[in-house]
Amino acid sequence: MISPKHVFAWATAAITGALMAASFQTPAMAGEGPERADNGFKYEAPITRPTAAPVAGYQIVTGDTVTLPNGATDTSIATCNDGRRVLGGGWTSANADDLVVLSNSATGNGAAWRVVFRNPPGGVAPATAAATAQCAFVRPTARPE
């Protein structure tokens, strides 16, 4: 016996396939057949020129490890080197299942990642943690006028 669950799955797959096929059909393909007039349309790929990469010098940096006794709050900052800017960040810990992260973001100038930790009363004592940041040289792009 075929369950309604299987019928729904098959119908969904069929509809998805039909929609995908239709989305790839171009106006030139819509009138396929001997009666179609050749309108001289010829697709040519756009010419692309190599450009300098907008991001270079990728590296991951780790801030100072902070040690938090029960009930303590502390901050770790991972700072990018040599003029690099933060692409993203986070934190790492080996023994801090109970840690609460109060703040986890880039600094105002984009050169570091700051994480504020709190070890609640009754948590792992002492807990250790550190901020991490993904850094790179970032080339400014031209802004549209």
Side-chain angles (χ1 to χ4, degrees), residues 17-73:
L19 289 173
M20 287 183 64
S23 68
F24 287 108
Q25 195 173 39
T26 64
M29 295 170 60
E32 290 287 342
E35 67 280 353
R36 186 187 82 181
D38 185 9
N39 62 2
F41 175 78
K42 181 179 176 189
Y43 176 77
E44 292 183 18
I47 298 172
T48 58
R49 291 178 173 58
T51 59
V55 175
Y58 178 82
Q59 72 177 172
I60 297 176
V61 296
T62 303
D64 292 335
T65 299
V66 295
T67 301
L68 300 124
N70 283 332
T73 301

Side-chain angles (χ1 to χ4, degrees), residues 72-137:
T73 301
D74 205 346
T75 302
S76 177
I77 299 175
T79 304
C80 298
N81 304 316
D82 306 324
R84 289 177 172 90
R85 292 290 179 244
V86 170
L87 301 177
W91 59 280
T92 184
S93 177
N95 67 338
D97 293 337
D98 296 331
L99 272 183
V100 176
V101 176
L102 301 175
S103 175
N104 184 26
S105 63
T107 59
N109 64 1
W113 194 266
R114 176 187 304 121
V115 183
V116 179
F117 301 98
R118 173 145 176 81
N119 189 7
V124 174
T128 58
T132 60
Q134 296 87 32
C135 305
F137 295 111

